[in-house]
Amino acid sequence: MPDGMYDETEDVVGVLTARIEARFGMSIDHLKAAVAAAPAANATATTIVKRYGLLVESQTALGRAEDDLFAALESQPSEVDDPTMDRAHRVNAAVAVRDGRAMVVRWLLDSDAPGKTGLAAERLARLNRGAQKGPAVPTSAPRPATAPAPRAGRGARW
């Protein structure tokens, strides 16, 4: 980004990093190490670290997409060509992905978020307890149908 511009995208990750560190009372690096050492010790911490990693990954992809767009715009004459417009669309898609992942991390950090208390939380807990551990759809090919054996008796042909 050009110097002096306010970089809101970096603040998204920075703000959530600070909230995670405040919630768990340790730096994000220490939290990652703790989760890696004992992932089953705290399911919430494990989920937050996983989703935070996805957020950082999407922020990195957004930064690359923005850099590509800025480079293309600097070399453009007055009109924007189709490849540059495609880069702009990639930036928009990367922002949407990053913002979606940020919302998930924000929701995980908020103990009073909708769906975490009351009837909705109870329903979600019941669903999670009864969730199947295997694939949701069959992963093997269906068996070929076999023709039923002819029955003896009336109408049977020999």
Side-chain angles (χ1 to χ4, degrees), residues 78-96:
S78 60
E79 292 186 26
V80 175
D81 61 8
D82 287 341
T84 303
M85 198 57 141
D86 289 341
R87 286 183 177 98
H89 290 304
R90 276 188 239 131
V91 168
N92 285 338
V95 168

Side-chain angles (χ1 to χ4, degrees), residues 47-92:
T47 302
I48 288 173
V49 166
K50 177 183 177 183
R51 298 300 177 165
Y52 176 81
L54 293 172
L55 171 63
V56 170
E57 181 182 296
S58 63
Q59 179 63 49
T60 302
L62 172 59
R64 283 192 306 265
E66 287 175 331
D67 291 345
D68 289 347
L69 177 60
F70 285 133
L73 288 172
E74 287 176 351
S75 65
Q76 285 289 308
S78 60
E79 292 186 26
V80 175
D81 61 8
D82 287 341
T84 303
M85 198 57 141
D86 289 341
R87 286 183 177 98
H89 290 304
R90 276 188 239 131
V91 168
N92 285 338

